[in-house]
Amino acid sequence: MKTKFESTKDILYVVFSKYVVEGNLRKRSCECCVSNEEIRLLLSKPLSQLTENELGHFMRSAVTTYGDIEDYKHFLPRILELIYCSENDLLSDFIIFEKLNYSEWETWPLSEVEAIENFITNLLVNTIEETSYNFDRLVDTINLAFKYTNTKNVFSILENSNSLHLVNFIVDSTLNGIDNTLCKSIEDWFTSDNVLKKLERAFFKVKDKDLATRISIVYTILENFN
């Protein structure tokens, strides 16, 4: 049975399937910036099989010097899918270049907007529930969710998660710091009653003594923050 995240990924492919690379992509791409070999590789495989390396340049340069908006929409499902699969810097590139914002994605047809929002929402849920906790990855995904979904929804997802990873995230964020763009929102959320109660419940359930100590320290810091 497919997970909710896998289902929203499939919906992306369905919603954007009407966009195809028509005509000569070479004519819609900068002669100086985009090589014939890059275009050949980009068009050499089915969309779902394209790798990060094959899509990297297109993702960063789409619409401006590499193809047009319909070309971008054609490749978008795979670009978003690779954000989850990537172990390198694709997620950072996506945030830095903000191709969705540049392409005014919020003005696109409602079905496309909802498909993107639902994908990123479920990407956050999936990241929280991953077996292997990764602080940096979770922060990046929360940052992405803040940019492209409802902020209140992000905190709702975090608060409703039963994963111990959430506790680790709160602890690590407090002790190690987080992205400055998130600080105020995260700070307010950390000191809310809901989070304090969640930490308290986690303290009494956790069996790892070191983690219990960390939770206790952070709980005290947050409780006296204001």
Side-chain angles (χ1 to χ4, degrees), residues 125 128-129 156-166 198:
V125 173
I128 291 174
E129 295 175 350
S156 176
I157 291 169
L158 291 170
E159 288 182 8
N160 291 327
S161 171
N162 293 321
S163 173
L164 187 59
H165 297 171
L166 177 57
K198 195 172 188 68

Side-chain angles (χ1 to χ4, degrees), residues 29-207:
S29 304
C30 174
E31 291 281 352
C32 299
C33 306
V34 183
S35 70
N36 291 333
E37 178 63 12
E38 286 175 316
I39 293 175
R40 186 191 70 78
L41 287 174
L42 188 67
L43 302 177
S44 66
K45 298 178 181 178
L47 179 60
S48 62
Q49 295 178 19
L50 288 170
T51 67
E52 183 176 333
N53 287 335
E54 292 161 347
L55 263 173
H57 186 187
F58 176 82
M59 183 201 69
R60 294 187 291 271
S61 302
V63 185
T64 51
T65 59
Y66 200 165
D68 59 20
I69 187 65
E70 292 200 356
D71 296 321
Y72 177 58
K73 286 187 176 185
H74 168 75
F75 291 105
L76 184 58
R78 183 57 175 163
I79 291 171
L80 289 171
E81 182 179 12
L82 284 171
I83 286 176
Y84 173 69
C85 299
S86 175
E87 294 181 356
N88 299 311
D89 64 353
L90 191 59
L91 177 57
S92 297
D93 280 349
F94 187 82
I95 294 172
I96 291 170
F97 289 95
E98 293 187 330
K99 281 298 173 182
L100 281 176
N101 285 342
Y102 181 84
S103 302
E104 299 181 334
W105 71 282
E106 291 179 309
T107 67
W108 295 356
L110 182 60
S111 61
E112 297 173 12
V113 173
E114 289 180 340
I116 293 169
E117 289 178 338
N118 289 337
F119 174 84
I120 295 173
T121 295
N122 283 285
L123 174 63
L124 176 57
V125 173
N126 199 73
T127 303
I128 291 174
E129 295 175 350
E130 282 179 336
T131 302
S132 178
Y133 168 74
N134 185 314
F135 172 68
D136 290 334
R137 182 177 181 80
L138 184 52
V139 169
D140 281 343
T141 310
I142 290 172
N143 202 335
L144 188 68
F146 269 139
K147 285 176 177 288
Y148 300 108
T149 63
N150 187 305
T151 299
K152 291 182 180 179
N153 193 33
V154 173
F155 289 123
S156 176
I157 291 169
L158 291 170
E159 288 182 8
N160 291 327
S161 171
N162 293 321
S163 173
L164 187 59
H165 297 171
L166 177 57
V167 173
N168 286 326
F169 169 67
I170 295 170
V171 172
D172 289 343
S173 297
T174 305
L175 299 181
N176 301 328
I178 55 174
D179 189 321
N180 287 335
T181 60
L182 297 179
C183 280
K184 179 57 180 174
S185 295
I186 293 292
E187 177 185 296
D188 292 341
W189 176 66
F190 278 171
T191 56
S192 68
D193 288 340
N194 285 345
V195 170
L196 290 174
K197 289 177 181 177
K198 195 172 188 68
L199 280 171
E200 186 176 0
R201 289 194 297 271
F203 174 80
F204 289 108
K205 287 182 179 180
V206 71
K207 295 180 180 179

Side-chain angles (χ1 to χ4, degrees), residues 3-19:
T3 65
K4 193 169 183 180
F5 172 73
E6 290 171 332
S7 296
T8 54
K9 179 194 71 176
D10 291 344
I11 291 172
L12 274 175
Y13 278 91
V14 172
V15 169
F16 287 92
S17 62
K18 63 183 178 182
Y19 299 103

